[in-house]
Amino acid sequence: MRRTLLLKPLLLLCSLLVLTACKQGQNDIEHYPETNLAQENLIPKPLQIKATHSAFGLDQNTGIYTATGFSELGQYLAEKIKWQTNLDLSVNGTSNSNRNILIQKLNDSKLPNKEAYELNISQDSVVISANTAEGAFRGVQTLRQLIPETSNDTLSKNKLWLIPSGKITDYPNFEYRGAMLDVARHFFSVEDVKKYIDLLAYYKINALHLHLTDDQGWRIEIKSWPKLTEIGGSTEVGGGPGGFYTQEEYKDLVAYAAKQHITIIPEVDMPGHTNAASLAYPFLNGNGKEVTPYTGIEVGFSTFDTRKDSVYDFIDDVVREISEMTPGPYFHAGGDESLVTKKEDFNYFISRVDKIVKKHNKRMIGWDEIAHADIDTTAIAQFWSNKDNAKLAVEKGLKVILSPGKKAYLDMKYDSLSKYGLHWAGYIPVDTAYIWTPERYIEGVSKENILGIEAPLWSETITNMEELEYLAFPRVIGHAELGWSTEENRDWEDYKQRLANQTPYLDRMNVKYYPSKLIDWKKSKDSN
Ligand code: TNX
């Protein structure tokens, strides 16, 4: 096993423990119950787990200590522990305990990537070690998942939450682990998106792709083109009021996600799926028809005029304004289902947009159709339905994100009885969503070609958070594991047990998940 604890942090830890031990004398708990860290209900499954069969007793006196630069993360952990256990733990204070939590910073070149972390749990301490705040954040999620729902009230005079002891060494299988939310077909508020972000972060998802524009609505304020939201923001599927994010709200969302190490990927879908934009500014329209508001769910009837320079000036403004507010490296330019754009016009358009995106210092992501255009190899193709497009992208040296409609689409119904969802790609019960191998899903597309996977949630049939949760949960949890855990560590029978035990968390978060009969859901305290 890799040795990543360097001498300096080790000394820091030792002095901390000696200090606290002096205060309180020996650990006051004599007999810990036997535990097995390797049997815990962790999702995603960590890379390596070594159980030592004892426990760490978290109680009201436990202190949280962090390396310089990690104190915000320490506060975050304290808030989450408070939420889960009602304990008020001090952060970088003077703890009154000989059992403490330490989040330490390593500078270890042997850690394979920036999300890697180690978690060492003993009777005296819980130590999260990482090179980066991002790695430490992922480790904090693992720790959160190990804190039991109920306390032990017999081993000590204080209530104790017993965390199984041992060592976890962990890092992700794929760099990109995404979810997508369509806020264009139906609008979702900042508060809704924040809740989704909280849930995704718990399962180590690190990218949230926002589908911000479509035929039915334009959802992001662009200061240089105000009618996009004044007119384009006022419609949605079914004739509801629509809505949009002001630039301040969008920045707030980006910052909220960044705190949980989630990158926001903004999508402006073009040249098709652009009815709302063309309704606001009819010069953009290239389908030769009069533009009227659209609130249905058909696709493929709209297109920008790809041969007008003014259209590219417009796109330049949009990409610039959004890129300026988006710290992440990607800009998603759509490119799907441009059914009324001539092939050569489509390819010409995508290649010009790729250059605009690059000029604003972003890498372009596009749906798999973009593989046909002449684009830079820094662009990324997002596979959704056409395997040949994905293969073509790889042949051209592009990386791909896998979002197979038949597996990863969260908007597909579970079965014929599902209350919401579509089924053009088939029904996707919870096992079907989990049982596939991204590394071998498309012949000719192997691990090194795959940036990661993403689970899109299109919103034609959902209008509020409860409906969103019905489609996303539990399937998105399985996708989180497919993105993080290695192929050897993924197993449906094992996963379904761990999933069944997510109920305490999901109930506490008030998530209205779909109670699939395939899962033997554990009854949690909070459920009724
Ligand atoms: C296809 S997937 C679309 C979307 C729809 C979705 C519904 C993709 C790139 N385009 O426009 O919302 O199906 O499942």
Side-chain angles (χ1 to χ4, degrees), residues 182 185 211 214 269 273 299 336-337 367 384 409 411-412 422 424 458-460:
D182 171 8
R185 270 49 177 274
H211 183 76
D214 214 300
D269 199 354
H273 292 272
V299 296
D336 58 317
E337 299 171 320
W367 298 105
W384 64 284
Y409 267 35
D411 65 314
M412 291 301 115
L422 303 170
W424 64 263
W458 302 96
S459 64
E460 286 95 333

mmCIF file with all atom_site columns, all heavy atoms in Angstrom, residues 182 185 211 214 269 273 299 336-337 367 384 409 411-412 422 424 458-460, ligand 1:
data_model
loop_
_atom_site.group_PDB
_atom_site.id
_atom_site.type_symbol
_atom_site.label_atom_id
_atom_site.label_alt_id
_atom_site.label_comp_id
_atom_site.label_asym_id
_atom_site.label_entity_id
_atom_site.label_seq_id
_atom_site.pdbx_PDB_ins_code
_atom_site.Cartn_x
_atom_site.Cartn_y
_atom_site.Cartn_z
_atom_site.occupancy
_atom_site.B_iso_or_equiv
_atom_site.pdbx_formal_charge
_atom_site.auth_seq_id
_atom_site.auth_comp_id
_atom_site.auth_asym_id
_atom_site.auth_atom_id
_atom_site.pdbx_PDB_model_num
ATOM   1   N N   . ASP A 1 182 ? -31.663 20.277 -17.278 1.00 0.00 ? 182 ASP A N   1
ATOM   2   C CA  . ASP A 1 182 ? -32.290 21.111 -18.309 1.00 0.00 ? 182 ASP A CA  1
ATOM   3   C C   . ASP A 1 182 ? -33.191 22.119 -17.592 1.00 0.00 ? 182 ASP A C   1
ATOM   4   O O   . ASP A 1 182 ? -34.262 21.755 -17.091 1.00 0.00 ? 182 ASP A O   1
ATOM   5   C CB  . ASP A 1 182 ? -33.083 20.165 -19.228 1.00 0.00 ? 182 ASP A CB  1
ATOM   6   C CG  . ASP A 1 182 ? -33.975 20.890 -20.235 1.00 0.00 ? 182 ASP A CG  1
ATOM   7   O OD1 . ASP A 1 182 ? -33.879 22.130 -20.350 1.00 0.00 ? 182 ASP A OD1 1
ATOM   8   O OD2 . ASP A 1 182 ? -34.755 20.183 -20.916 1.00 0.00 ? 182 ASP A OD2 1
ATOM   9   N N   . ARG A 1 185 ? -36.512 23.718 -20.614 1.00 0.00 ? 185 ARG A N   1
ATOM   10  C CA  . ARG A 1 185 ? -37.869 23.209 -20.891 1.00 0.00 ? 185 ARG A CA  1
ATOM   11  C C   . ARG A 1 185 ? -38.796 23.614 -19.751 1.00 0.00 ? 185 ARG A C   1
ATOM   12  O O   . ARG A 1 185 ? -39.908 24.061 -19.954 1.00 0.00 ? 185 ARG A O   1
ATOM   13  C CB  . ARG A 1 185 ? -37.856 21.697 -21.085 1.00 0.00 ? 185 ARG A CB  1
ATOM   14  C CG  . ARG A 1 185 ? -37.638 21.240 -22.515 1.00 0.00 ? 185 ARG A CG  1
ATOM   15  C CD  . ARG A 1 185 ? -36.461 21.894 -23.223 1.00 0.00 ? 185 ARG A CD  1
ATOM   16  N NE  . ARG A 1 185 ? -36.265 21.355 -24.550 1.00 0.00 ? 185 ARG A NE  1
ATOM   17  C CZ  . ARG A 1 185 ? -35.545 20.259 -24.815 1.00 0.00 ? 185 ARG A CZ  1
ATOM   18  N NH1 . ARG A 1 185 ? -34.915 19.618 -23.842 1.00 0.00 ? 185 ARG A NH1 1
ATOM   19  N NH2 . ARG A 1 185 ? -35.441 19.826 -26.060 1.00 0.00 ? 185 ARG A NH2 1
ATOM   20  N N   . HIS A 1 211 ? -28.199 23.093 -18.875 1.00 0.00 ? 211 HIS A N   1
ATOM   21  C CA  . HIS A 1 211 ? -28.718 23.293 -20.239 1.00 0.00 ? 211 HIS A CA  1
ATOM   22  C C   . HIS A 1 211 ? -29.579 24.565 -20.181 1.00 0.00 ? 211 HIS A C   1
ATOM   23  O O   . HIS A 1 211 ? -30.744 24.521 -19.790 1.00 0.00 ? 211 HIS A O   1
ATOM   24  C CB  . HIS A 1 211 ? -29.524 22.053 -20.622 1.00 0.00 ? 211 HIS A CB  1
ATOM   25  C CG  . HIS A 1 211 ? -30.077 22.060 -22.009 1.00 0.00 ? 211 HIS A CG  1
ATOM   26  N ND1 . HIS A 1 211 ? -29.308 21.820 -23.124 1.00 0.00 ? 211 HIS A ND1 1
ATOM   27  C CD2 . HIS A 1 211 ? -31.338 22.281 -22.474 1.00 0.00 ? 211 HIS A CD2 1
ATOM   28  C CE1 . HIS A 1 211 ? -30.065 21.886 -24.212 1.00 0.00 ? 211 HIS A CE1 1
ATOM   29  N NE2 . HIS A 1 211 ? -31.302 22.164 -23.842 1.00 0.00 ? 211 HIS A NE2 1
ATOM   30  N N   . ASP A 1 214 ? -33.022 26.642 -24.909 1.00 0.00 ? 214 ASP A N   1
ATOM   31  C CA  . ASP A 1 214 ? -33.627 25.683 -25.841 1.00 0.00 ? 214 ASP A CA  1
ATOM   32  C C   . ASP A 1 214 ? -34.774 26.388 -26.568 1.00 0.00 ? 214 ASP A C   1
ATOM   33  O O   . ASP A 1 214 ? -34.969 27.596 -26.391 1.00 0.00 ? 214 ASP A O   1
ATOM   34  C CB  . ASP A 1 214 ? -34.096 24.412 -25.105 1.00 0.00 ? 214 ASP A CB  1
ATOM   35  C CG  . ASP A 1 214 ? -33.935 23.180 -25.996 1.00 0.00 ? 214 ASP A CG  1
ATOM   36  O OD1 . ASP A 1 214 ? -34.565 23.157 -27.084 1.00 0.00 ? 214 ASP A OD1 1
ATOM   37  O OD2 . ASP A 1 214 ? -33.195 22.262 -25.631 1.00 0.00 ? 214 ASP A OD2 1
ATOM   38  N N   . ASP A 1 269 ? -27.345 25.958 -26.380 1.00 0.00 ? 269 ASP A N   1
ATOM   39  C CA  . ASP A 1 269 ? -27.529 24.960 -27.432 1.00 0.00 ? 269 ASP A CA  1
ATOM   40  C C   . ASP A 1 269 ? -27.759 25.668 -28.773 1.00 0.00 ? 269 ASP A C   1
ATOM   41  O O   . ASP A 1 269 ? -28.654 26.506 -28.899 1.00 0.00 ? 269 ASP A O   1
ATOM   42  C CB  . ASP A 1 269 ? -28.742 24.079 -27.064 1.00 0.00 ? 269 ASP A CB  1
ATOM   43  C CG  . ASP A 1 269 ? -28.745 22.762 -27.809 1.00 0.00 ? 269 ASP A CG  1
ATOM   44  O OD1 . ASP A 1 269 ? -27.888 22.560 -28.686 1.00 0.00 ? 269 ASP A OD1 1
ATOM   45  O OD2 . ASP A 1 269 ? -29.624 21.918 -27.503 1.00 0.00 ? 269 ASP A OD2 1
ATOM   46  N N   . HIS A 1 273 ? -32.378 24.046 -31.689 1.00 0.00 ? 273 HIS A N   1
ATOM   47  C CA  . HIS A 1 273 ? -32.877 24.313 -30.328 1.00 0.00 ? 273 HIS A CA  1
ATOM   48  C C   . HIS A 1 273 ? -32.793 25.797 -29.971 1.00 0.00 ? 273 HIS A C   1
ATOM   49  O O   . HIS A 1 273 ? -32.473 26.155 -28.834 1.00 0.00 ? 273 HIS A O   1
ATOM   50  C CB  . HIS A 1 273 ? -32.105 23.486 -29.285 1.00 0.00 ? 273 HIS A CB  1
ATOM   51  C CG  . HIS A 1 273 ? -32.349 22.006 -29.373 1.00 0.00 ? 273 HIS A CG  1
ATOM   52  N ND1 . HIS A 1 273 ? -33.376 21.379 -28.719 1.00 0.00 ? 273 HIS A ND1 1
ATOM   53  C CD2 . HIS A 1 273 ? -31.699 21.037 -30.072 1.00 0.00 ? 273 HIS A CD2 1
ATOM   54  C CE1 . HIS A 1 273 ? -33.342 20.075 -28.981 1.00 0.00 ? 273 HIS A CE1 1
ATOM   55  N NE2 . HIS A 1 273 ? -32.338 19.852 -29.807 1.00 0.00 ? 273 HIS A NE2 1
ATOM   56  N N   . VAL A 1 299 ? -38.702 18.375 -31.187 1.00 0.00 ? 299 VAL A N   1
ATOM   57  C CA  . VAL A 1 299 ? -37.350 18.921 -31.377 1.00 0.00 ? 299 VAL A CA  1
ATOM   58  C C   . VAL A 1 299 ? -37.044 19.014 -32.874 1.00 0.00 ? 299 VAL A C   1
ATOM   59  O O   . VAL A 1 299 ? -37.732 18.421 -33.700 1.00 0.00 ? 299 VAL A O   1
ATOM   60  C CB  . VAL A 1 299 ? -36.278 18.027 -30.708 1.00 0.00 ? 299 VAL A CB  1
ATOM   61  C CG1 . VAL A 1 299 ? -36.452 17.988 -29.201 1.00 0.00 ? 299 VAL A CG1 1
ATOM   62  C CG2 . VAL A 1 299 ? -36.294 16.627 -31.295 1.00 0.00 ? 299 VAL A CG2 1
ATOM   63  N N   . ASP A 1 336 ? -26.809 19.455 -30.945 1.00 0.00 ? 336 ASP A N   1
ATOM   64  C CA  . ASP A 1 336 ? -27.630 18.264 -31.190 1.00 0.00 ? 336 ASP A CA  1
ATOM   65  C C   . ASP A 1 336 ? -28.841 18.584 -32.057 1.00 0.00 ? 336 ASP A C   1
ATOM   66  O O   . ASP A 1 336 ? -29.320 19.719 -32.092 1.00 0.00 ? 336 ASP A O   1
ATOM   67  C CB  . ASP A 1 336 ? -28.116 17.671 -29.851 1.00 0.00 ? 336 ASP A CB  1
ATOM   68  C CG  . ASP A 1 336 ? -28.917 18.676 -29.034 1.00 0.00 ? 336 ASP A CG  1
ATOM   69  O OD1 . ASP A 1 336 ? -28.483 19.843 -28.976 1.00 0.00 ? 336 ASP A OD1 1
ATOM   70  O OD2 . ASP A 1 336 ? -29.965 18.309 -28.484 1.00 0.00 ? 336 ASP A OD2 1
ATOM   71  N N   . GLU A 1 337 ? -29.311 17.564 -32.719 1.00 0.00 ? 337 GLU A N   1
ATOM   72  C CA  . GLU A 1 337 ? -30.614 17.561 -33.412 1.00 0.00 ? 337 GLU A CA  1
ATOM   73  C C   . GLU A 1 337 ? -30.872 18.825 -34.229 1.00 0.00 ? 337 GLU A C   1
ATOM   74  O O   . GLU A 1 337 ? -31.977 19.355 -34.212 1.00 0.00 ? 337 GLU A O   1
ATOM   75  C CB  . GLU A 1 337 ? -31.740 17.399 -32.376 1.00 0.00 ? 337 GLU A CB  1
ATOM   76  C CG  . GLU A 1 337 ? -31.644 16.120 -31.600 1.00 0.00 ? 337 GLU A CG  1
ATOM   77  C CD  . GLU A 1 337 ? -32.636 16.057 -30.431 1.00 0.00 ? 337 GLU A CD  1
ATOM   78  O OE1 . GLU A 1 337 ? -32.844 17.082 -29.736 1.00 0.00 ? 337 GLU A OE1 1
ATOM   79  O OE2 . GLU A 1 337 ? -33.184 14.975 -30.211 1.00 0.00 ? 337 GLU A OE2 1
ATOM   80  N N   . TRP A 1 367 ? -22.571 18.072 -28.229 1.00 0.00 ? 367 TRP A N   1
ATOM   81  C CA  . TRP A 1 367 ? -23.179 16.735 -28.382 1.00 0.00 ? 367 TRP A CA  1
ATOM   82  C C   . TRP A 1 367 ? -22.509 16.016 -29.556 1.00 0.00 ? 367 TRP A C   1
ATOM   83  O O   . TRP A 1 367 ? -21.872 16.661 -30.402 1.00 0.00 ? 367 TRP A O   1
ATOM   84  C CB  . TRP A 1 367 ? -24.698 16.866 -28.579 1.00 0.00 ? 367 TRP A CB  1
ATOM   85  C CG  . TRP A 1 367 ? -25.350 17.496 -27.371 1.00 0.00 ? 367 TRP A CG  1
ATOM   86  C CD1 . TRP A 1 367 ? -25.823 18.775 -27.281 1.00 0.00 ? 367 TRP A CD1 1
ATOM   87  C CD2 . TRP A 1 367 ? -25.584 16.899 -26.086 1.00 0.00 ? 367 TRP A CD2 1
ATOM   88  N NE1 . TRP A 1 367 ? -26.330 19.001 -26.014 1.00 0.00 ? 367 TRP A NE1 1
ATOM   89  C CE2 . TRP A 1 367 ? -26.193 17.869 -25.264 1.00 0.00 ? 367 TRP A CE2 1
ATOM   90  C CE3 . TRP A 1 367 ? -25.334 15.630 -25.540 1.00 0.00 ? 367 TRP A CE3 1
ATOM   91  C CZ2 . TRP A 1 367 ? -26.555 17.617 -23.932 1.00 0.00 ? 367 TRP A CZ2 1
ATOM   92  C CZ3 . TRP A 1 367 ? -25.699 15.377 -24.218 1.00 0.00 ? 367 TRP A CZ3 1
ATOM   93  C CH2 . TRP A 1 367 ? -26.303 16.364 -23.436 1.00 0.00 ? 367 TRP A CH2 1
ATOM   94  N N   . TRP A 1 384 ? -24.369 10.739 -26.904 1.00 0.00 ? 384 TRP A N   1
ATOM   95  C CA  . TRP A 1 384 ? -25.695 10.485 -26.330 1.00 0.00 ? 384 TRP A CA  1
ATOM   96  C C   . TRP A 1 384 ? -26.436 9.408  -27.093 1.00 0.00 ? 384 TRP A C   1
ATOM   97  O O   . TRP A 1 384 ? -27.161 8.619  -26.518 1.00 0.00 ? 384 TRP A O   1
ATOM   98  C CB  . TRP A 1 384 ? -26.526 11.762 -26.215 1.00 0.00 ? 384 TRP A CB  1
ATOM   99  C CG  . TRP A 1 384 ? -26.878 12.441 -27.504 1.00 0.00 ? 384 TRP A CG  1
ATOM   100 C CD1 . TRP A 1 384 ? -26.049 13.199 -28.286 1.00 0.00 ? 384 TRP A CD1 1
ATOM   101 C CD2 . TRP A 1 384 ? -28.140 12.434 -28.158 1.00 0.00 ? 384 TRP A CD2 1
ATOM   102 N NE1 . TRP A 1 384 ? -26.711 13.670 -29.374 1.00 0.00 ? 384 TRP A NE1 1
ATOM   103 C CE2 . TRP A 1 384 ? -28.009 13.231 -29.331 1.00 0.00 ? 384 TRP A CE2 1
ATOM   104 C CE3 . TRP A 1 384 ? -29.388 11.860 -27.874 1.00 0.00 ? 384 TRP A CE3 1
ATOM   105 C CZ2 . TRP A 1 384 ? -29.074 13.429 -30.220 1.00 0.00 ? 384 TRP A CZ2 1
ATOM   106 C CZ3 . TRP A 1 384 ? -30.448 12.072 -28.749 1.00 0.00 ? 384 TRP A CZ3 1
ATOM   107 C CH2 . TRP A 1 384 ? -30.276 12.852 -29.903 1.00 0.00 ? 384 TRP A CH2 1
ATOM   108 N N   . TYR A 1 409 ? -29.626 8.415  -19.246 1.00 0.00 ? 409 TYR A N   1
ATOM   109 C CA  . TYR A 1 409 ? -30.649 9.466  -19.302 1.00 0.00 ? 409 TYR A CA  1
ATOM   110 C C   . TYR A 1 409 ? -31.604 9.366  -18.117 1.00 0.00 ? 409 TYR A C   1
ATOM   111 O O   . TYR A 1 409 ? -32.401 8.428  -18.013 1.00 0.00 ? 409 TYR A O   1
ATOM   112 C CB  . TYR A 1 409 ? -31.405 9.397  -20.641 1.00 0.00 ? 409 TYR A CB  1
ATOM   113 C CG  . TYR A 1 409 ? -30.771 10.316 -21.657 1.00 0.00 ? 409 TYR A CG  1
ATOM   114 C CD1 . TYR A 1 409 ? -29.392 10.496 -21.662 1.00 0.00 ? 409 TYR A CD1 1
ATOM   115 C CD2 . TYR A 1 409 ? -31.533 11.026 -22.577 1.00 0.00 ? 409 TYR A CD2 1
ATOM   116 C CE1 . TYR A 1 409 ? -28.792 11.369 -22.568 1.00 0.00 ? 409 TYR A CE1 1
ATOM   117 C CE2 . TYR A 1 409 ? -30.932 11.892 -23.488 1.00 0.00 ? 409 TYR A CE2 1
ATOM   118 C CZ  . TYR A 1 409 ? -29.562 12.052 -23.468 1.00 0.00 ? 409 TYR A CZ  1
ATOM   119 O OH  . TYR A 1 409 ? -28.972 12.909 -24.351 1.00 0.00 ? 409 TYR A OH  1
ATOM   120 N N   . ASP A 1 411 ? -34.070 11.169 -17.607 1.00 0.00 ? 411 ASP A N   1
ATOM   121 C CA  . ASP A 1 411 ? -35.463 11.509 -17.938 1.00 0.00 ? 411 ASP A CA  1
ATOM   122 C C   . ASP A 1 411 ? -36.194 10.349 -18.590 1.00 0.00 ? 411 ASP A C   1
ATOM   123 O O   . ASP A 1 411 ? -37.369 10.497 -18.948 1.00 0.00 ? 411 ASP A O   1
ATOM   124 C CB  . ASP A 1 411 ? -35.535 12.746 -18.836 1.00 0.00 ? 411 ASP A CB  1
ATOM   125 C CG  . ASP A 1 411 ? -34.912 12.515 -20.193 1.00 0.00 ? 411 ASP A CG  1
ATOM   126 O OD1 . ASP A 1 411 ? -33.802 11.942 -20.248 1.00 0.00 ? 411 ASP A OD1 1
ATOM   127 O OD2 . ASP A 1 411 ? -35.527 12.896 -21.203 1.00 0.00 ? 411 ASP A OD2 1
ATOM   128 N N   . MET A 1 412 ? -35.539 9.181  -18.741 1.00 0.00 ? 412 MET A N   1
ATOM   129 C CA  . MET A 1 412 ? -36.273 8.021  -19.238 1.00 0.00 ? 412 MET A CA  1
ATOM   130 C C   . MET A 1 412 ? -37.080 7.428  -18.076 1.00 0.00 ? 412 MET A C   1
ATOM   131 O O   . MET A 1 412 ? -36.615 7.382  -16.939 1.00 0.00 ? 412 MET A O   1
ATOM   132 C CB  . MET A 1 412 ? -35.308 6.961  -19.790 1.00 0.00 ? 412 MET A CB  1
ATOM   133 C CG  . MET A 1 412 ? -34.614 7.376  -21.067 1.00 0.00 ? 412 MET A CG  1
ATOM   134 S SD  . MET A 1 412 ? -35.750 7.750  -22.419 1.00 0.00 ? 412 MET A SD  1
ATOM   135 C CE  . MET A 1 412 ? -35.446 9.492  -22.643 1.00 0.00 ? 412 MET A CE  1
ATOM   136 N N   . LEU A 1 422 ? -39.846 10.318 -20.296 1.00 0.00 ? 422 LEU A N   1
ATOM   137 C CA  . LEU A 1 422 ? -40.088 9.933  -21.689 1.00 0.00 ? 422 LEU A CA  1
ATOM   138 C C   . LEU A 1 422 ? -39.596 8.490  -21.836 1.00 0.00 ? 422 LEU A C   1
ATOM   139 O O   . LEU A 1 422 ? -39.070 7.914  -20.889 1.00 0.00 ? 422 LEU A O   1
ATOM   140 C CB  . LEU A 1 422 ? -39.300 10.863 -22.614 1.00 0.00 ? 422 LEU A CB  1
ATOM   141 C CG  . LEU A 1 422 ? -39.593 12.364 -22.470 1.00 0.00 ? 422 LEU A CG  1
ATOM   142 C CD1 . LEU A 1 422 ? -38.583 13.193 -23.255 1.00 0.00 ? 422 LEU A CD1 1
ATOM   143 C CD2 . LEU A 1 422 ? -41.014 12.678 -22.948 1.00 0.00 ? 422 LEU A CD2 1
ATOM   144 N N   . TRP A 1 424 ? -38.187 7.355  -25.245 1.00 0.00 ? 424 TRP A N   1
ATOM   145 C CA  . TRP A 1 424 ? -37.657 7.127  -26.605 1.00 0.00 ? 424 TRP A CA  1
ATOM   146 C C   . TRP A 1 424 ? -36.407 6.259  -26.601 1.00 0.00 ? 424 TRP A C   1
ATOM   147 O O   . TRP A 1 424 ? -36.149 5.551  -27.564 1.00 0.00 ? 424 TRP A O   1
ATOM   148 C CB  . TRP A 1 424 ? -37.411 8.451  -27.336 1.00 0.00 ? 424 TRP A CB  1
ATOM   149 C CG  . TRP A 1 424 ? -36.358 9.329  -26.725 1.00 0.00 ? 424 TRP A CG  1
ATOM   150 C CD1 . TRP A 1 424 ? -36.555 10.373 -25.887 1.00 0.00 ? 424 TRP A CD1 1
ATOM   151 C CD2 . TRP A 1 424 ? -34.932 9.233  -26.898 1.00 0.00 ? 424 TRP A CD2 1
ATOM   152 N NE1 . TRP A 1 424 ? -35.362 10.941 -25.511 1.00 0.00 ? 424 TRP A NE1 1
ATOM   153 C CE2 . TRP A 1 424 ? -34.345 10.258 -26.133 1.00 0.00 ? 424 TRP A CE2 1
ATOM   154 C CE3 . TRP A 1 424 ? -34.086 8.374  -27.639 1.00 0.00 ? 424 TRP A CE3 1
ATOM   155 C CZ2 . TRP A 1 424 ? -32.963 10.455 -26.060 1.00 0.00 ? 424 TRP A CZ2 1
ATOM   156 C CZ3 . TRP A 1 424 ? -32.710 8.570  -27.567 1.00 0.00 ? 424 TRP A CZ3 1
ATOM   157 C CH2 . TRP A 1 424 ? -32.165 9.611  -26.788 1.00 0.00 ? 424 TRP A CH2 1
ATOM   158 N N   . TRP A 1 458 ? -33.349 15.816 -18.665 1.00 0.00 ? 458 TRP A N   1
ATOM   159 C CA  . TRP A 1 458 ? -34.140 16.722 -19.502 1.00 0.00 ? 458 TRP A CA  1
ATOM   160 C C   . TRP A 1 458 ? -35.470 16.948 -18.806 1.00 0.00 ? 458 TRP A C   1
ATOM   161 O O   . TRP A 1 458 ? -36.014 16.041 -18.172 1.00 0.00 ? 458 TRP A O   1
ATOM   162 C CB  . TRP A 1 458 ? -34.317 16.108 -20.895 1.00 0.00 ? 458 TRP A CB  1
ATOM   163 C CG  . TRP A 1 458 ? -33.004 15.824 -21.560 1.00 0.00 ? 458 TRP A CG  1
ATOM   164 C CD1 . TRP A 1 458 ? -32.327 14.632 -21.585 1.00 0.00 ? 458 TRP A CD1 1
ATOM   165 C CD2 . TRP A 1 458 ? -32.168 16.768 -22.238 1.00 0.00 ? 458 TRP A CD2 1
ATOM   166 N NE1 . TRP A 1 458 ? -31.136 14.781 -22.245 1.00 0.00 ? 458 TRP A NE1 1
ATOM   167 C CE2 . TRP A 1 458 ? -31.013 16.065 -22.663 1.00 0.00 ? 458 TRP A CE2 1
ATOM   168 C CE3 . TRP A 1 458 ? -32.279 18.127 -22.545 1.00 0.00 ? 458 TRP A CE3 1
ATOM   169 C CZ2 . TRP A 1 458 ? -29.975 16.682 -23.374 1.00 0.00 ? 458 TRP A CZ2 1
ATOM   170 C CZ3 . TRP A 1 458 ? -31.259 18.737 -23.252 1.00 0.00 ? 458 TRP A CZ3 1
ATOM   171 C CH2 . TRP A 1 458 ? -30.127 18.033 -23.657 1.00 0.00 ? 458 TRP A CH2 1
ATOM   172 N N   . SER A 1 459 ? -36.022 18.159 -18.978 1.00 0.00 ? 459 SER A N   1
ATOM   173 C CA  . SER A 1 459 ? -37.142 18.513 -18.100 1.00 0.00 ? 459 SER A CA  1
ATOM   174 C C   . SER A 1 459 ? -38.475 18.733 -18.812 1.00 0.00 ? 459 SER A C   1
ATOM   175 O O   . SER A 1 459 ? -39.327 19.450 -18.313 1.00 0.00 ? 459 SER A O   1
ATOM   176 C CB  . SER A 1 459 ? -36.771 19.752 -17.281 1.00 0.00 ? 459 SER A CB  1
ATOM   177 O OG  . SER A 1 459 ? -36.584 20.855 -18.131 1.00 0.00 ? 459 SER A OG  1
ATOM   178 N N   . GLU A 1 460 ? -38.666 18.080 -19.952 1.00 0.00 ? 460 GLU A N   1
ATOM   179 C CA  . GLU A 1 460 ? -39.964 18.228 -20.627 1.00 0.00 ? 460 GLU A CA  1
ATOM   180 C C   . GLU A 1 460 ? -41.126 17.843 -19.725 1.00 0.00 ? 460 GLU A C   1
ATOM   181 O O   . GLU A 1 460 ? -42.185 18.458 -19.767 1.00 0.00 ? 460 GLU A O   1
ATOM   182 C CB  . GLU A 1 460 ? -40.022 17.341 -21.888 1.00 0.00 ? 460 GLU A CB  1
ATOM   183 C CG  . GLU A 1 460 ? -39.211 17.845 -23.060 1.00 0.00 ? 460 GLU A CG  1
ATOM   184 C CD  . GLU A 1 460 ? -37.828 17.216 -23.107 1.00 0.00 ? 460 GLU A CD  1
ATOM   185 O OE1 . GLU A 1 460 ? -37.307 16.833 -22.040 1.00 0.00 ? 460 GLU A OE1 1
ATOM   186 O OE2 . GLU A 1 460 ? -37.268 17.112 -24.212 1.00 0.00 ? 460 GLU A OE2 1
HETATM 187 C C1  . TNX B 2 .   ? -32.847 14.416 -26.904 1.00 0.00 ? 1   TNX B C1  1
HETATM 188 S S1  . TNX B 2 .   ? -30.128 14.263 -25.910 1.00 0.00 ? 1   TNX B S1  1
HETATM 189 C C2  . TNX B 2 .   ? -32.344 15.702 -26.774 1.00 0.00 ? 1   TNX B C2  1
HETATM 190 C C3  . TNX B 2 .   ? -33.069 16.678 -25.959 1.00 0.00 ? 1   TNX B C3  1
HETATM 191 C C4  . TNX B 2 .   ? -34.315 16.108 -25.378 1.00 0.00 ? 1   TNX B C4  1
HETATM 192 C C5  . TNX B 2 .   ? -34.054 14.704 -24.927 1.00 0.00 ? 1   TNX B C5  1
HETATM 193 C C6  . TNX B 2 .   ? -35.215 14.078 -24.227 1.00 0.00 ? 1   TNX B C6  1
HETATM 194 C C7  . TNX B 2 .   ? -30.005 15.486 -26.757 1.00 0.00 ? 1   TNX B C7  1
HETATM 195 C C8  . TNX B 2 .   ? -28.663 15.909 -27.008 1.00 0.00 ? 1   TNX B C8  1
HETATM 196 N N1  . TNX B 2 .   ? -31.121 16.067 -27.226 1.00 0.00 ? 1   TNX B N1  1
HETATM 197 O O1  . TNX B 2 .   ? -33.347 17.826 -26.714 1.00 0.00 ? 1   TNX B O1  1
HETATM 198 O O2  . TNX B 2 .   ? -34.715 16.908 -24.317 1.00 0.00 ? 1   TNX B O2  1
HETATM 199 O O3  . TNX B 2 .   ? -33.728 13.921 -26.033 1.00 0.00 ? 1   TNX B O3  1
HETATM 200 O O4  . TNX B 2 .   ? -34.872 12.854 -23.693 1.00 0.00 ? 1   TNX B O4  1
#
